[in-house]
Amino acid sequence: ETGVTQSPTHLIKTRGQQVTLRCSSQSGHNTVSWYQQALGQGPQFIFQYYREEENGRGNFPPRFSGLQFPNYSSELNVNALELDDSALYLCASSATGGKNEKLFFGSGTQLSVL
Amino acid sequence: QKEVEQNSGPLSVPEGAIASLNCTYSDRGSQSFFWYRQYSGKSPELIMFIYSNGDKEDGRFTAQLNKASQYVSLLIRDSQPSDSATYLCAVPGDAGNMLTFGGGTRLMVKP
């Protein structure tokens, strides 16, 4: 198992609500990335944080936002939830975010939007 | 925008056989590739990384990269039922380790 922890493990929300997902990075890692994985698909990159700054963003609307804290833990916030937001949300940390650096994934948060 | 394509499968092989998983990519400038294994309901785990043409071997796993044809393969020798999982191919971004994943190939190894 990696040292990346995510909470909660499962979450059920209704359409239009807001949700916050949390991630603690592995010790010594200052970069956190978030991915969305819909059922039967590969993970899609949402954004990455490096030392508390957004360092890159995928093709997701502004209602997906995030934060990284001084201890390098991170939050993913999703506003105005839609049914298509139902997915496994994966957090991954790495030491510095370098191009070929290994990602260490957490166990994920399964979000269901009803 | 980088694209990575994989056959979704399922690919079914008998125990002890060689499983061959393929991945094609759109960006001719891509230099390095990752293979992840994902068991059902679990998070992806890295099994192979390759950045040069040719083969890279690690135990029962061999990754093959052909930049001219823009494909990367993963061979699993002596397949075991415990290898049954979804295998994801991924390429990093131009300036960091933000990965573009393929859709994954589901492998089933039958005893």
Side-chain angles (χ1 to χ4, degrees):
Chain A
E1 287 191 5
T2 72
V4 181
T5 59
Q6 292 187 243
S7 62
T9 55
H10 296 83
L11 202 52
I12 299 175
K13 291 286 188 177
T14 57
R15 194 170 47 184
Q17 285 188 312
Q18 178 267 342
V19 68
T20 297
L21 310 181
R22 295 178 175 83
C23 171
S24 294
S25 60
Q26 185 160 307
S27 177
H29 289 184
N30 59 27
T31 303
V32 172
S33 304
W34 287 92
Y35 290 81
Q36 180 196 65
Q37 187 174 23
L39 190 63
Q41 298 182 23
Q44 287 194 51
F45 173 70
I46 304 175
F47 42 57
Q48 183 183 82
Y49 280 84
Y50 172 72
R51 294 188 174 184
E52 302 179 61
E53 297 288 331
E54 187 179 289
N55 191 40
R57 189 178 180 93
N59 189 26
F60 280 81
R63 59 189 186 84
F64 285 78
S65 63
L67 282 173
Q68 189 179 32
F69 300 99
N71 66 355
Y72 302 132
S73 66
S74 177
E75 286 183 354
L76 164 65
N77 299 291
V78 187
N79 293 322
L81 283 166
E82 300 177 1
L83 298 179
D84 285 349
D85 296 333
S86 295
L88 178 67
Y89 288 84
L90 295 163
C91 169
S93 76
S94 59
T96 64
K99 186 179 173 79
N100 294 323
E101 213 169 74
K102 180 179 177 179
L103 289 177
F104 293 79
F105 283 92
S107 299
T109 294
Q110 185 66 54
L111 173 64
S112 299
V113 182
L114 305 178
Chain B
Q1 185 173 350
K2 297 178 188 286
E3 293 183 356
V4 178
E5 298 288 337
Q6 296 181 256
N7 188 318
S8 62
L11 172 66
S12 183
V13 300
E15 183 175 356
I18 296 175
S20 177
L21 305 159
N22 298 312
C23 167
T24 59
Y25 58 94
S26 63
D27 183 1
R28 189 170 287 278
S30 292
Q31 300 286 324
S32 54
F33 303 86
F34 296 85
W35 280 101
Y36 283 82
R37 176 176 63 198
Q38 186 175 28
Y39 292 111
S40 181
K42 302 294 185 182
S43 58
E45 58 176 322
L46 180 66
I47 54 172
M48 288 290 281
F49 167 69
I50 186 168
Y51 63 89
S52 58
N53 260 342
D55 297 359
K56 179 181 178 182
E57 187 174 318
D58 184 0
R60 294 187 297 112
F61 298 97
T62 299
Q64 299 176 320
L65 174 57
N66 186 320
K67 291 184 179 180
S69 301
Q70 293 180 237
Y71 78 80
V72 56
S73 301
L74 179 69
L75 302 178
I76 306 174
R77 291 182 300 282
D78 188 24
S79 295
Q80 301 297 309
S82 59
D83 295 325
S84 298
T86 295
Y87 290 80
L88 299 160
C89 174
V91 298
D94 293 330
N97 65 351
M98 306 151 206
L99 298 181
T100 298
F101 284 88
T105 298
R106 185 178 162 213
L107 173 66
M108 297 172 59
V109 181
K110 299 195 171 181

